[in-house]
Amino acid sequence: MEKKWFKEMSVYQIWPRSFCDGNGDGIGDLKGVISKLDYIKSLGVDAIWFSPLYPSPNADYGYDIADYRNISSDYGTLDEFKTMLDEAHKRGLKVIMDLVVNHTSDEHEWFKESKKGENNPYHDYYIWRKGRKPGKEPNNWLSTFQGKAWEYCKEIDKYYLHVFAKGQPDLNMDNPKVREEVKNIMRFWLDMGVDGFREDVITFISKKEGLPNGFPLPTATGIEHYSNGPHLMEYLHEFKDVLDEYDCFTVGEAPMMTTKKALKFIREGENQVLNTMFHFEHMNCDNIITNWIVTPFRPSKLKKVYKRWQEDLYKKAWNANYIENHDQPRIISRYGSEKYRVESGKMLGTMYILQSGTPFIYQGQEIGMTNANIPSIDRYKDVSSINNYNLFRKLGFSDKFTMKICMYAARDNARTPMQWTNDKNAGFTTADEPWFEVNKNYHEINVQQAENDPDSILHYYRKLLSFRKENDIVKYGDFQLLNTEKNIFAYIRHMGEQQLLVVCSFSEKECAFRCPKQFDIESSELVLSNYDKNIVIHNGFMTRPYETRVYFIK
Ligand code: NOJ
């Protein structure tokens, strides 16, 4: 497998609104980011991915962009961005921008022009249709975030399509002028020196001709007609011609992706259009299809998914590994245990960072932040949480039941301010009130505490990331899942003469780990673990709650 810089790197994701407030207005900003660059560097990561920093009315907190070539005044100025970019580069940190081109904000100039009517040169930048008959939308599509996927515009007697919130009209990518705009936006940031893009729902950009009715679902009806649509590959090839002019990195966000489909886009060679992809399969082990249809967490499903992605892509394509981001509730509260927070936090980090692929770490994950458990819908900020809550209530579920789901599944769980210290507002802001409430557990869980505790999750992540950096087997070795009891996830990585064994328990109960005879762990070197006194008996051990051990097999 060819070595590349992006395969060597690990990435820290910043959701800017909640990372660090540098000017005391209660909202995270670039000044705050600059003040934390040394901290980010100290983790051992090589790049930062920024969720959108652009001007936005925040219908979806930045994922509704009003100007692709500027920085939101909430976060600073373009000059401050350039300073941040320089400072990051000085420290050897690359900078990856979020590229959101499936849709814009309804406050983008293009959209304002577009809704002036058919004769406006921007009209065809968006997807406008006449109703089927008066008062009836052009088709039965539902948005993911807010009711119908169509919004009526009285002035021109037409509807515009929005597969997310109302304030996020979908761009008409079939219009070559729109694709030119996208390429110019890419050039704008790459010329400034950014190092790559995370491409938001990029697999949604091509809609099926005729926009046929979709299979009826409670939400996102029509998705089969725009996910992996007919011209997706063609458009990505066009974009790639621009990307090829630069040495940059791309990761495409790809809901409902399978390894088979992913290989069409990311298989190394002539037809490759993206370096890697974010799939969601491993995030569906405690739910069905959406995070809101909650089921008990099943480690057996997680193992199957990872086996598939590790094996199917090996020597063909590259994985993007993550267990948290701004769309996912905190992983300790889902696949780990709040009771065994430190143990399970370390285990979960080991489990995914030591697989092949580029690891992504979301702000706060490295200190083991947990779900915010906000008990009342009035205190939620995210459009999709509020919409899902209303949908469940409309379907007849009680407030108590719906709130329980919401507390577990809402994206808000990942969006509370970063917990820096034990001081007021967790040291996130000097303002009286942060834009969004701080998780109450910040007295126990914060960066300052973690720095002072040699056994913290934070110090363990540093060890994990430096171990990955120093050992090619972690990046380029192959992956073999071991047959174990259901709550243990154990795998071997091989490269040349080297073999690395990773054992992870997903249970607080004792489980028996028996290592296959061909690997002798008694005489092996223990390189990472989350407990002391790591005894081995008969080439195995009984696991302690959420135990993890990593051995170099001798
Ligand atoms: C995926 C982003 O990660 C999410 O936060 C956003 O709401 C949707 N795409 C729409 O842009």
Side-chain angles (χ1 to χ4, degrees):
M1 167 146 288
E2 200 190 341
K3 291 189 176 180
K4 289 265 176 63
W5 63 265
F6 67 80
K7 296 181 181 174
E8 307 280 320
M9 77 174 173
S10 38
V11 185
Y12 190 75
Q13 183 196 347
I14 290 184
W15 197 73
R17 209 167 183 79
S18 285
F19 185 64
C20 181
D21 176 14
N23 67 358
D25 65 355
I27 299 174
D29 51 37
L30 286 170
K31 197 166 165 222
V33 170
I34 295 172
S35 74
K36 298 296 183 190
L37 286 176
D38 289 331
Y39 167 75
I40 296 169
K41 179 69 187 174
S42 82
L43 300 174
V45 297
D46 312 279
I48 304 172
W49 150 33
F50 284 95
S51 278
L53 288 163
Y54 319 95
S56 161
N58 290 320
D60 186 17
Y61 291 110
Y63 284 90
D64 47 323
I65 298 175
D67 179 357
Y68 287 97
R69 291 181 173 77
N70 211 338
I71 295 293
S72 160
S73 56
D74 281 346
Y75 303 143
T77 61
L78 200 52
D79 277 339
E80 270 176 285
F81 176 81
K82 287 180 189 159
T83 307
M84 187 284 299
L85 185 62
D86 270 359
E87 290 296 321
H89 283 164
K90 268 189 218 155
R91 289 166 176 79
L93 293 168
K94 308 236 180 221
V95 170
I96 297 161
M97 295 296 267
D98 219 307
L99 184 80
V100 187
V101 293
N102 176 67
H103 44 266
T104 69
S105 159
D106 59 350
E107 291 186 19
H108 195 290
E109 282 308 316
W110 300 338
F111 189 72
K112 289 188 194 159
E113 289 298 314
S114 173
K115 66 179 188 195
K116 287 184 181 161
E118 276 163 27
N119 295 331
N120 189 284
Y122 288 95
H123 190 67
D124 282 340
Y125 269 43
Y126 294 86
I127 303 174
W128 292 99
R129 292 288 183 278
K130 288 272 184 207
R132 277 174 282 186
K133 54 183 183 190
K136 194 124 172 57
E137 292 77 19
N139 67 20
N140 73 344
W141 292 10
L142 294 180
S143 81
T144 312
F145 288 171
Q146 255 179 335
K148 301 260 162 72
W150 295 97
E151 193 62 17
Y152 184 60
C153 185
K154 200 165 72 240
E155 295 74 25
I156 58 172
D157 185 31
K158 271 181 154 185
Y159 293 80
Y160 70 84
L161 178 71
H162 62 90
V163 304
F164 291 98
K166 275 184 205 148
Q168 293 171 296
D170 281 57
L171 281 165
N172 173 16
M173 208 54 81
D174 297 334
N175 180 345
K177 286 195 199 135
V178 173
R179 303 202 295 278
E180 272 320 302
E181 298 276 10
V182 172
K183 289 186 257 180
N184 288 333
I185 293 164
M186 287 176 162
R187 288 193 185 98
F188 176 82
W189 293 101
L190 292 168
D191 286 339
M192 197 183 296
V194 314
D195 304 285
F197 297 110
R198 174 265 187 191
E199 303 187 4
D200 189 68
V201 286
I202 198 67
T203 47
F204 286 7
I205 61 173
S206 165
K207 276 77 177 168
K208 189 161 180 181
E209 214 171 294
L211 310 179
N213 279 334
F215 180 79
L217 299 167
T219 176
T221 297
I223 194 161
E224 69 275 28
H225 298 310
Y226 58 80
S227 180
N228 292 316
H231 301 288
L232 175 62
M233 194 63 177
E234 191 183 315
Y235 299 160
L236 290 179
H237 265 293
E238 244 185 76
F239 300 158
K240 187 174 171 270
D241 290 342
V242 175
L243 298 165
D244 277 349
E245 295 164 18
Y246 305 81
D247 181 21
C248 68
F249 166 73
T250 51
V251 49
E253 190 200 22
M256 300 181 309
M257 192 45 66
T258 61
T259 55
K260 199 168 159 214
K261 281 193 247 166
L263 282 168
K264 291 195 193 140
F265 304 99
I266 62 174
R267 185 191 279 268
E268 292 177 8
E270 258 175 37
N271 281 321
Q272 181 177 14
V273 285
L274 293 163
N275 290 132
T276 178
M277 270 179 162
F278 284 136
H279 71 88
F280 285 68
E281 290 197 296
H282 63 305
M283 294 277 91
N284 291 134
C285 299
D286 61 352
N287 61 61
I288 301 167
I289 308 168
T290 122
N291 285 0
W292 281 64
I293 307 179
V294 177
T295 58
F297 167 58
R298 280 193 296 140
S300 53
K301 185 166 176 200
L302 187 74
K303 290 194 262 183
K304 261 194 218 144
V305 169
Y306 275 127
K307 176 177 156 60
R308 211 167 40 241
W309 281 87
Q310 288 288 303
E311 290 182 357
D312 293 2
L313 268 53
Y314 189 61
K315 291 204 164 150
K316 297 189 188 113
W318 193 247
N319 272 288
N321 294 330
Y322 73 96
I323 49 174
E324 278 191 18
N325 62 35
H326 62 292
D327 294 332
Q328 298 293 338
R330 295 289 181 178
I331 199 71
I332 288 174
S333 306
R334 297 174 64 183
Y335 295 3
S337 155
E338 290 180 9
K339 180 168 163 208
Y340 294 101
R341 187 182 67 86
V342 174
E343 294 82 354
S344 65
K346 293 177 183 175
M347 181 281 287
L348 289 160
T350 312
M351 183 275 303
Y352 88 104
I353 291 178
L354 297 189
Q355 294 188 37
S356 178
T358 297
F360 289 75
I361 296 132
Y362 179 62
Q363 66 188 40
Q365 181 189 326
E366 79 280 16
I367 55 165
M369 281 177 64
T370 59
N371 276 359
N373 290 325
I374 300 172
S376 150
I377 194 66
D378 317 329
R379 285 156 58 190
Y380 282 74
K381 302 274 188 192
D382 172 31
V383 58
S384 82
S385 307
I386 297 163
N387 182 56
N388 281 326
Y389 173 88
N390 291 335
L391 187 67
F392 270 63
R393 298 287 283 125
K394 219 165 95 191
L395 291 171
F397 293 104
S398 69
D399 172 64
K400 195 166 162 218
F401 175 82
T402 309
M403 271 326 297
K404 201 171 150 207
I405 306 275
C406 188
M407 283 157 72
Y408 184 80
R411 305 196 297 183
D412 303 67
N413 282 307
R415 299 176 175 192
T416 57
M418 178 73 183
Q419 294 163 208
W420 294 104
T421 67
N422 188 16
D423 304 325
K424 190 175 171 216
N425 296 324
F428 161 73
T429 178
T430 53
D432 282 343
E433 291 278 328
W435 79 277
F436 186 28
E437 60 192 84
V438 175
N439 191 322
K440 292 204 179 40
N441 63 18
Y442 78 87
H443 297 290
E444 299 88 61
I445 306 172
N446 61 66
V447 173
Q448 192 180 42
Q449 180 284 330
E451 291 285 12
N452 293 331
D453 174 3
D455 286 331
S456 66
I457 299 178
L458 175 64
H459 287 303
Y460 187 84
Y461 263 73
R462 290 186 172 128
K463 280 189 222 157
L464 265 176
L465 292 170
S466 89
F467 182 75
R468 177 181 185 274
K469 187 156 282 169
E470 283 156 18
N471 291 284
D472 271 358
I473 186 171
V474 179
K475 292 163 248 169
Y476 301 109
D478 71 6
F479 173 97
Q480 179 195 347
L481 182 71
L482 295 185
N483 209 347
T484 55
E485 69 164 80
K486 71 173 191 310
N487 287 319
I488 296 182
F489 180 8
Y491 57 86
I492 299 264
R493 307 290 311 277
H494 304 265
M495 200 174 79
E497 295 292 288
Q498 272 190 330
Q499 301 189 100
L500 188 74
L501 167 69
V502 180
V503 183
C504 300
S505 164
F506 278 86
S507 176
E508 62 174 76
K509 298 207 189 87
E510 225 179 34
C511 309
F513 172 68
R514 303 253 155 274
C515 192
K517 278 205 270 333
Q518 69 269 35
F519 310 113
D520 172 18
I521 51 173
E522 254 151 295
S523 61
S524 294
E525 183 197 353
L526 180 76
V527 286
L528 287 162
S529 62
N530 59 352
Y531 283 92
D532 291 337
K533 302 204 184 72
N534 293 289
I535 296 162
V536 174
I537 301 168
H538 302 312
N539 208 28
F541 56 93
M542 297 305 287
T543 59
R544 290 160 281 186
Y546 296 92
E547 180 160 7
T548 184
R549 295 192 198 181
V550 182
Y551 289 95
F552 260 130
I553 304 281
K554 291 261 164 78

